């Protein structure tokens, strides 16, 4: 099975059939998809202006999309390295029980769904790398009141997410499923109250 780097080489190779280059970019998302596979694909298509079903997109647009994906992957790999070093130090110091970041990290293993968007058509407009930098900064800074990616405060509790953790706070501004631990108890309570208001108004 081809890895991310070999797939990336195919995307850039002008000697490859254009359909294969597009297919290889799509396959890259099986190795690294920060918003989830479908949402990341939709993001790349909209930002680089080629259709999700376009079999012969402009090669320059494909390469630009790959460049964005690779920059985000470099941000994530640097974080993974720091994370591994931190866990090594903690284990050396006798801290064997994983913390909340470890639980979140387990679900994002390999870089899939780091800033998951449950609705594939709703995702941040930021470049992928910037969205990840903001999320990582929030993870390291501790709980806050706003979405760590877009800084919005329109966060609602969803009990019916399509992927693990299956329930949690979602930013209605950028679509990101917000890690619960980056929100204060007050912000989480407000998100849950907001859901109750929506249910009452629908009824």
């Amino acid at each position: 099975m081809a890895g991310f780097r070999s797939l990336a080489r195919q995307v850039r190779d002008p000697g490859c059939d254009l359909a294969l280059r597009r297919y290889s970019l799509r396959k890259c998302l099986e190795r690294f998809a920060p918003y989830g596979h479908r949402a990341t694909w939709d993001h790349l298509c909209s930002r680089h202006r080629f259709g999700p079903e376009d079999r012969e997109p402009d090669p320059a647009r494909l390469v630009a999309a790959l460049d964005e994906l690779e920059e985000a992957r470099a941000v994530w790999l640097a974080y993974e390295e720091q994370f591994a070093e931190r866990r090594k130090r903690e284990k050396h110091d006798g801290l064997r029980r994983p913390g909340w970041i470890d639980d979140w990290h387990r679900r994002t293993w390999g870089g899939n769904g780091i800033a998951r968007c449950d609705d594939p058509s709703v995702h941040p407009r930021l470049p992928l790398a910037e969205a990840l930098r903001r999320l990582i900064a929030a993870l390291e800074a501790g709980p806050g009141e706003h979405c760590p990616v877009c800084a919005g405060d329109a966060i609602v509790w969803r009990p019916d997410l399509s992927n693990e953790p299956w329930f949690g706070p979602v930013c209605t501004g950028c679509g990101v499923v917000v890690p619960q631990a980056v929100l204060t108890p007050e912000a989480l309570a407000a998100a849950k109250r907001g859901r109750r208001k929506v249910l009452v108004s629908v009824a």
Side-chain angles (χ1 to χ4, degrees):
M1 183 180 289
F4 185 95
R5 285 182 293 182
S6 62
L7 289 166
R9 282 194 295 271
Q10 288 181 346
V11 176
R12 287 199 169 90
D13 185 354
C16 285
D17 177 76
L18 191 52
L20 175 61
R21 294 174 70 181
R22 175 199 174 276
Y23 174 79
S24 296
L25 177 61
R26 191 75 190 253
K27 291 291 284 184
C28 283
L29 303 186
E30 293 180 8
R31 313 302 188 271
F32 180 73
Y35 299 155
H37 190 283
R38 291 173 59 208
T40 305
W41 181 246
D42 192 79
H43 168 86
L44 293 174
C45 290
S46 60
R47 271 186 59 85
H48 299 282
R49 303 187 308 283
F50 57 90
E53 302 302 326
D54 187 353
R55 294 292 185 248
E56 295 188 350
D58 181 342
R61 296 179 193 271
L62 285 180
V63 172
L66 176 63
D67 287 343
E68 179 178 350
L69 190 64
E70 284 182 322
E71 182 184 1
R73 185 169 178 263
V75 170
W76 178 248
L77 291 176
Y79 172 77
E80 291 255 85
E81 191 174 320
Q82 293 171 358
F83 178 88
E85 284 298 317
R86 177 182 65 81
R87 284 298 295 142
K88 188 176 180 180
R89 287 194 307 271
E90 288 175 349
K91 287 179 180 178
H92 180 267
D93 294 339
L95 183 61
R96 296 284 173 176
R97 184 177 179 142
W100 65 265
I101 290 183
D102 302 85
D103 187 53
W104 169 82
H105 188 265
R106 175 186 58 79
R107 290 196 300 268
T108 61
W109 183 255
N112 186 21
I114 301 161
R116 182 171 299 284
C117 298
D118 199 60
D119 181 344
S121 65
V122 181
H123 39 75
R125 295 186 179 185
L126 297 164
L128 289 168
E130 179 58 24
L132 294 191
R133 286 187 193 101
R134 292 184 183 191
L135 180 59
I136 290 167
L139 289 166
E140 294 171 347
E145 299 290 329
H146 305 285
C147 171
V149 176
C150 72
D153 58 5
I155 298 172
V156 296
W157 187 266
R158 288 273 310 279
D160 55 352
L161 299 177
S162 58
N163 289 280
E164 193 179 0
W166 311 116
F167 55 85
V170 175
C171 175
T172 60
C174 69
V176 167
V177 179
V178 181
Q180 291 188 45
V182 304
L183 295 173
T184 63
E186 293 77 16
L188 280 172
K192 291 175 181 178
R193 283 197 303 273
R195 169 172 166 71
R196 283 196 289 273
K197 287 178 184 175
V198 169
L199 290 174
V200 169
S201 64
V202 168

